[in-house]
Amino acid sequence: MNAKQSEDSGCGSQATAGAQDDNLDKTLSKITNKLIVMSGKGGVGKSSFATNLAVTLAAKGFSTGLLDVDLHGPSIAGMAGVTGLLDVTRDQQVIPKTVGDRLKVVSMQSLMRDPDQAVIWRGPAKTGIIRQFIADVRWESLDFLVVDSPPGTGDEPLSVAQTISGAKALIVTTPQDVALADVRKSISFCRTVNLEIVGLVENMGPFACPCCGETVELFKSRGGRVTAETMNVPFLGTLPFDPQVVKACDEGAPIAASGNGGAFVEALDEVVQAVVGRM
Amino acid sequence: MNAKQSEDSGCGSQATAGAQDDNLDKTLSKITNKLIVMSGKGGVGKSSFATNLAVTLAAKGFSTGLLDVDLHGPSIAGMAGVTGLLDVTRDQQVIPKTVGDRLKVVSMQSLMRDPDQAVIWRGPAKTGIIRQFIADVRWESLDFLVVDSPPGTGDEPLSVAQTISGAKALIVTTPQDVALADVRKSISFCRTVNLEIVGLVENMGPFACPCCGETVELFKSRGGRVTAETMNVPFLGTLPFDPQVVKACDEGAPIAASGNGGAFVEALDEVVQAVVGRM
């Protein structure tokens, strides 16, 4: 891709904790809006939504960064169509991959030589690597940073929330009860760690049969809206289920960039406008 | 439910690590087959499969336990239709809830007074609680223990794998590439920690439109079978997508127990027979 090798010189020594804090402040100070995309439960389409959100923001003219800090199941690089390992400068700064004119992508995936290797991180090691990974990326100025956080309410989302000061949360769910039970935990988590919630997005909504047009509720319906109202969180909209979204993510060609995404892309655009309006 | 308060007396003191190991050995020695249901990625229907597997094993006449050790998103109690808090004896042993004649259920959910509260566990605390939770359950004799492990390859599945000696893994995936990338990590994880793999189950397979009968591949197709063959792991079968499975789990009435599950239950029965044949 377009990432160029830096000419900066560096001493090559390990950054101290203090230097890392300086790096972190410097990195974050250049970013206007920081969004952490979260879900209580895995498999609700969080990474796919984060990717399509970042692509849409870039298409709207915002300079946008997309960061994946999922240590166990990083998938953003593949979904955004980014291949190869990331370049690292001599002073240990990570250079994002660029996609199109305004989107920069950094994924844990792009630091692993063997993508099938299971990285068995214990808790404290995770916190350190997440902090370092956010501090040491050379984003330059960004209008939006979209962070795809690991699901749940454990070490990883906690480290992300504590590291990115001034960030706001976007919570993704599917409509069924078992996902909503976990979403209520996510909302309680955000409130516990003082993370402002931009709103709730309901993914995998109604599916229209491509043969007869019948609408089927694969994962039930309206649960996201009702939960948002009950928990007093803004509801940002429902995205319909479309197998093309799954396929497009697998192929590294996000549907938001295809110019041909039908009802899903229309609904996504409304959600993104709601997000921008709330920043 | 049928769980009765124990009359055992106990000193009420904290169990020492040694006593906990004794408890663990005693608990596990009474269980013939231990199955850990895993997934690389969340949201592939792992908990739903674990519940339906346990219900089917019990229906086949096996005395079966179903244990949920997902600290952040426990869902087994709700799916199995178990309500209320678990009874704990005076010597701190947990009494499983019983469902029907041969199924006993223990879920982290049934220990939490406020189900919407996010429990922000740090890594080392997780390992301790998981170990304790497995050691301190009074299962009595079981033909099968089905453990619903948290997704991924982090602290939690590692603690589960290390705590339950002699356990074997069942890996659940959906057919799309982004899930399969994580499944390859799960397989590598099992091999790293010497956990024998019984096989791979492909969930959320083809969906038949209830209106016109058209079959739609919601999450692509055949990815599970191909991955199993490539990674040299037994392939146990594909379960079709059926919104009734989602609905039944939300309602705490697993479809395997309904006597009216159509193609899903037929496919599930073949998978369960394959599992039993491999123990």
Side-chain angles (χ1 to χ4, degrees):
Chain A
M1 316 303 282
N2 300 340
K4 64 179 200 322
Q5 192 71 38
S6 162
E7 299 90 41
D8 288 22
S9 65
C11 66
S13 66
Q14 279 290 93
T16 63
Q20 207 190 75
D21 284 345
D22 289 348
N23 274 353
L24 187 62
D25 292 344
K26 206 167 135 192
T27 299
L28 295 178
S29 69
K30 292 185 193 159
I31 303 171
T32 312
N33 299 294
K34 299 139 199 155
L35 284 169
I36 303 181
V37 181
M38 305 180 66
S39 71
K41 191 176 179 310
V44 298
K46 176 182 53 59
S47 300
S48 154
F49 172 74
T51 304
N52 280 308
L53 167 66
V55 167
T56 306
L57 285 167
K60 285 185 184 299
F62 297 109
S63 121
T64 304
L66 175 59
L67 173 68
D68 169 348
V69 288
D70 191 339
L71 296 172
H72 299 290
S75 51
I76 285 291
M79 287 188 182
V82 161
T83 53
L85 294 173
L86 285 165
D87 289 325
V88 179
T89 65
R90 274 184 287 174
D91 58 342
Q92 301 296 309
Q93 286 234 301
V94 175
I95 309 288
K97 300 273 187 183
T98 60
V99 177
D101 288 338
R102 282 177 296 269
L103 181 59
K104 294 179 177 183
V105 179
V106 169
S107 170
M108 283 280 178
Q109 229 171 342
S110 311
L111 288 174
M112 295 174 180
R113 287 190 186 275
D114 175 6
D116 291 346
Q117 193 58 45
V119 183
I120 308 178
W121 301 95
R122 286 291 193 174
K126 280 186 205 174
T127 305
I129 191 86
I130 287 174
R131 198 175 167 81
Q132 193 181 340
F133 198 47
I134 295 172
D136 294 349
V137 175
R138 188 175 294 180
W139 292 109
E140 308 300 349
S141 295
L142 291 179
D143 297 315
F144 280 92
L145 175 65
V146 176
V147 182
D148 183 28
S149 170
T153 53
D155 293 293
E156 294 159 70
L158 180 59
S159 302
V160 174
Q162 288 175 336
T163 304
I164 308 182
S165 61
K168 296 178 182 179
L170 259 176
I171 303 178
V172 183
T173 187
T174 52
Q176 87 265 37
D177 297 356
V178 67
L180 295 170
D182 290 348
V183 148
R184 290 191 294 270
K185 287 197 183 73
S186 283
I187 294 171
S188 129
F189 170 89
C190 289
R191 289 175 176 160
T192 303
V193 303
N194 290 317
L195 196 60
E196 186 183 326
I197 301 171
V198 180
L200 188 66
V201 179
E202 189 179 74
N203 196 27
M204 300 197 191
F207 164 69
C209 174
C211 175
C212 67
E214 173 84 358
T215 297
V216 186
E217 292 166 352
L218 300 174
F219 297 96
K220 303 178 67 176
S221 68
R222 289 184 50 82
R225 180 183 293 273
V226 171
T227 301
E229 284 165 7
T230 314
M231 300 286 286
N232 204 17
V233 164
F235 182 68
L236 303 174
T238 298
L239 302 173
F241 186 95
D242 183 345
Q244 292 306 317
V245 176
V246 176
K247 196 162 166 278
C249 275
D250 267 6
E251 290 169 358
I255 200 155
S258 71
N260 184 24
F264 178 88
V265 170
E266 274 172 41
L268 175 69
D269 199 71
E270 281 182 32
V271 168
V272 176
Q273 284 181 40
V275 171
V276 173
R278 291 189 164 275
M279 299 307 291
Chain B
M1 316 300 285
N2 300 340
K4 62 177 196 330
Q5 193 71 37
S6 161
E7 300 89 41
D8 289 22
S9 66
C11 64
S13 66
Q14 277 290 94
T16 62
Q20 203 188 78
D21 284 347
D22 288 349
N23 274 353
L24 187 62
D25 291 345
K26 207 168 136 193
T27 300
L28 294 178
S29 69
K30 293 184 194 160
I31 303 171
T32 313
N33 300 294
K34 299 140 200 152
L35 284 170
I36 303 180
V37 180
M38 306 178 65
S39 71
K41 192 175 178 310
V44 299
K46 175 181 55 56
S47 300
S48 153
F49 172 74
T51 304
N52 280 307
L53 167 66
V55 167
T56 306
L57 285 167
K60 285 185 184 298
F62 296 109
S63 118
T64 305
L66 175 59
L67 172 68
D68 169 346
V69 289
D70 192 338
L71 297 173
H72 300 291
S75 50
I76 284 292
M79 287 187 182
V82 162
T83 52
L85 293 173
L86 285 165
D87 289 325
V88 178
T89 65
R90 274 184 287 172
D91 59 341
Q92 301 295 307
Q93 286 233 299
V94 175
I95 308 289
K97 299 275 187 181
T98 59
V99 177
D101 289 337
R102 282 177 295 269
L103 180 60
K104 294 180 178 182
V105 179
V106 169
S107 169
M108 283 279 177
Q109 230 170 341
S110 311
L111 289 175
M112 295 175 181
R113 285 187 189 274
D114 174 6
D116 292 346
Q117 192 57 44
V119 183
I120 308 177
W121 302 93
R122 285 292 194 175
K126 281 187 207 174
T127 304
I129 192 86
I130 287 174
R131 198 175 168 82
Q132 194 183 338
F133 198 47
I134 296 172
D136 294 349
V137 176
R138 189 176 291 180
W139 292 109
E140 308 301 347
S141 294
L142 291 179
D143 297 316
F144 280 92
L145 175 65
V146 176
V147 182
D148 183 28
S149 170
T153 54
D155 293 292
E156 292 159 73
L158 179 58
S159 302
V160 175
Q162 288 175 338
T163 303
I164 309 181
S165 61
K168 296 178 183 179
L170 259 176
I171 303 177
V172 183
T173 186
T174 51
Q176 87 266 35
D177 297 358
V178 68
L180 295 169
D182 290 348
V183 148
R184 290 192 294 270
K185 289 198 182 71
S186 282
I187 295 171
S188 130
F189 170 87
C190 289
R191 288 176 175 159
T192 304
V193 303
N194 291 317
L195 195 61
E196 187 184 324
I197 301 170
V198 180
L200 188 66
V201 179
E202 189 179 77
N203 197 25
M204 301 196 191
F207 163 71
C209 174
C211 175
C212 68
E214 173 84 357
T215 297
V216 186
E217 292 167 350
L218 300 174
F219 297 97
K220 303 176 71 175
S221 68
R222 288 182 52 80
R225 180 183 290 275
V226 171
T227 302
E229 285 166 5
T230 313
M231 300 287 286
N232 204 19
V233 165
F235 182 69
L236 303 174
T238 298
L239 302 173
F241 186 94
D242 183 345
Q244 292 306 317
V245 177
V246 176
K247 196 162 166 277
C249 275
D250 268 5
E251 289 168 0
I255 200 155
S258 70
N260 184 24
F264 178 88
V265 170
E266 276 173 40
L268 175 69
D269 198 72
E270 282 183 31
V271 167
V272 176
Q273 284 183 42
V275 170
V276 173
R278 292 188 164 276
M279 299 308 290

